[in-house]
Amino acid sequence: MALRKMFLNDLLLYEKLGGYCFGNCGRFYATKVDLRKLRPMIVKRIEKRSQFYPVRSMIPVANEVLLARNVLIHGVSTLLNSFPLMACKFCPEIYIGEQGHLIPTCRGYKHRAKNRVHEWVKGGLNDILVPVETFHLNNMFQSVIRHDQRFDFDRIPAVVELCWQAGADPHSENLNPSSWNLEATNDNVDGTESFPPNDLAVIAKKTLEAWETLRSGVEKLMLVYSVKVCKYCSEVHVGPSGHKARLCGVFKYESWKGAHFWTIANVDNLVPPKIVWRRRPHDPPVLVNEGRDFYGRVPAVLDLCTKAGVMVPAKYNILMKVQGLSGPVNYKI
């Protein structure tokens, strides 16, 4: 009854003031604004915003990320010459070892199967360092890329584009297009060259440090520069707003003509960790399904470096399960 009386009082006050007020709930009227007069002011404000970028304090971070990326690519390429990498023929699963595991987690080509044993083939650099590409913008605040303009812009690694927008030197050797292609970089490494264990440990240590520097640096840059990722696919866009190229391949949302649904990205979208099963010294030679709850799951770069004899940071101990059991234990009473 009290709420009804309060509502009637607010309604009488609303009518008394000519519809410009509704109690304590704020104003409900709309002011008449000429958008044609506001447009020059909005455009001028957008142009002024570009004067504050790139942020000077983030330029050293961008250069450090590019250097770490190059060290990581060459380090992983060198370690793969000494440690075999297996990749599933029908899904993205990989395993670092002489032969793959027997854990049935394969979902087949385009997820058409479920819980199948993997069919292993020899893997490469792109299986560990998954390439994530994006459109290269002429400037950070340019107009949105339309669908018919998708072939007018180059596709480059998302990390390189992020560093480019953050103020990295475009004439630097780290931004040379020859270093953008991971497969080309892998082919440049001499596959017949062998290293003694001590040298491999040094290379692995530098590779792991570069991995940590790359991910932490990208995370810092993403706090300043906007990066978008599609909600339904892995498309990434570095810039204030996503593009309008209709490239989303999720068949469930084909009614939207392939338009992306953009959301805020995180560091895993630009630098995928590629989680793999890790075999410990007390595990069986071939990992089986019965012990899948006891095996460690770590990023592939981390597992590759540990096989070269590197001590990993303590924050990964919970993922590695170093002292964990290798399988279920049956207690008899």
Side-chain angles (χ1 to χ4, degrees):
M1 190 67 181
L3 292 176
R4 183 182 301 177
K5 187 176 180 181
M6 184 183 302
F7 177 77
L8 291 175
N9 293 334
D10 289 341
L11 184 60
L12 292 175
L13 181 60
Y14 175 76
E15 295 176 352
K16 182 178 179 181
L17 296 177
Y20 294 106
C21 181
F22 192 74
N24 296 324
C25 297
R27 297 176 296 178
F28 272 41
Y29 64 90
T31 58
K32 295 182 179 180
V33 178
D34 190 356
L35 295 179
R36 290 176 296 182
K37 295 181 179 180
L38 284 179
R39 180 178 176 80
M41 183 178 63
I42 296 174
V43 173
K44 187 176 181 180
R45 185 172 181 180
I46 293 175
E47 292 176 353
K48 286 185 177 181
R49 183 177 61 173
S50 61
Q51 299 176 0
F52 298 100
Y53 291 93
V55 181
R56 293 184 179 180
S57 60
M58 302 305 295
I59 294 178
V61 178
N63 292 326
E64 186 181 23
V65 167
L66 286 177
L67 290 174
R69 179 179 179 271
N70 280 359
V71 172
L72 176 64
I73 292 175
H74 290 285
V76 172
S77 301
T78 304
L79 293 176
L80 287 180
N81 294 328
S82 302
F83 301 97
L85 173 67
M86 307 302 295
C88 181
K89 187 177 180 180
F90 301 107
C91 75
E93 181 80 8
I94 63 174
Y95 180 76
I96 302 175
E98 293 290 344
Q99 54 183 336
H101 58 73
L102 297 178
I103 303 175
T105 55
C106 182
R107 301 187 64 182
Y109 179 68
K110 291 185 178 181
H111 291 189
R112 293 179 179 177
K114 187 178 181 181
N115 296 336
R116 293 176 52 183
V117 178
H118 298 279
E119 184 174 342
W120 300 104
V121 295
K122 185 178 179 180
L125 178 63
N126 280 354
D127 295 312
I128 290 186
L129 303 179
V130 181
V132 179
E133 294 186 342
T134 185
F135 286 111
H136 172 52
L137 306 182
N138 298 325
N139 58 78
M140 184 177 178
F141 297 101
Q142 71 174 42
S143 58
V144 179
I145 300 175
R146 301 191 305 271
H147 181 68
D148 57 347
Q149 296 177 327
R150 63 190 185 279
F151 298 117
D152 298 336
F153 295 88
D154 296 330
R155 299 278 292 183
I156 67 174
V159 174
V160 176
E161 175 65 16
L162 179 61
C163 295
W164 198 312
Q165 294 187 15
D169 184 9
H171 303 290
S172 173
E173 294 181 357
N174 300 315
L175 287 173
N176 193 323
S178 62
S179 66
W180 295 350
N181 193 324
L182 296 184
E183 288 295 344
T185 305
N186 192 21
D187 294 339
N188 293 332
V189 180
D190 187 5
T192 61
E193 185 179 2
S194 60
F195 295 90
N198 293 336
D199 292 347
L200 281 178
V202 174
I203 295 174
K205 182 179 179 181
K206 293 182 179 179
T207 302
L208 184 58
E209 292 175 353
W211 168 260
E212 294 291 329
T213 303
L214 174 64
R215 287 182 59 87
S216 63
V218 169
E219 192 172 7
K220 293 176 184 177
L221 293 176
M222 293 176 67
L223 294 175
V224 180
Y225 297 90
S226 176
V227 181
K228 306 292 183 182
V229 64
C230 181
K231 186 178 180 181
Y232 301 112
C233 71
S234 58
E235 178 71 10
V236 172
H237 182 78
V238 181
S241 60
H243 60 76
K244 293 185 178 179
R246 298 188 294 271
L247 303 174
C248 188
V250 182
F251 301 117
K252 183 177 180 181
Y253 301 94
E254 276 192 340
S255 60
W256 298 98
K257 298 182 180 179
H260 295 287
F261 290 77
W262 299 108
T263 184
I264 300 176
N266 55 42
V267 64
D268 289 341
N269 299 125
L270 271 71
V271 189
K274 198 70 174 183
I275 305 299
V276 298
W277 296 99
R278 178 180 182 271
R279 181 184 174 275
R280 300 161 298 182
H282 55 279
D283 288 332
V286 180
L287 302 183
V288 294
N289 190 44
E290 288 74 12
R292 60 183 298 176
D293 294 333
F294 300 87
Y295 304 142
R297 294 274 285 172
V298 297
V301 174
L302 185 70
D303 189 23
L304 182 63
C305 293
T306 55
K307 284 180 167 51
V310 173
M311 296 296 295
V312 300
K315 63 181 181 180
Y316 292 110
N317 288 343
I318 190 172
L319 299 177
M320 298 176 62
K321 300 181 180 179
V322 179
Q323 303 297 333
L325 300 175
S326 60
V329 178
N330 297 324
Y331 293 97
K332 294 183 180 180
I333 300 178

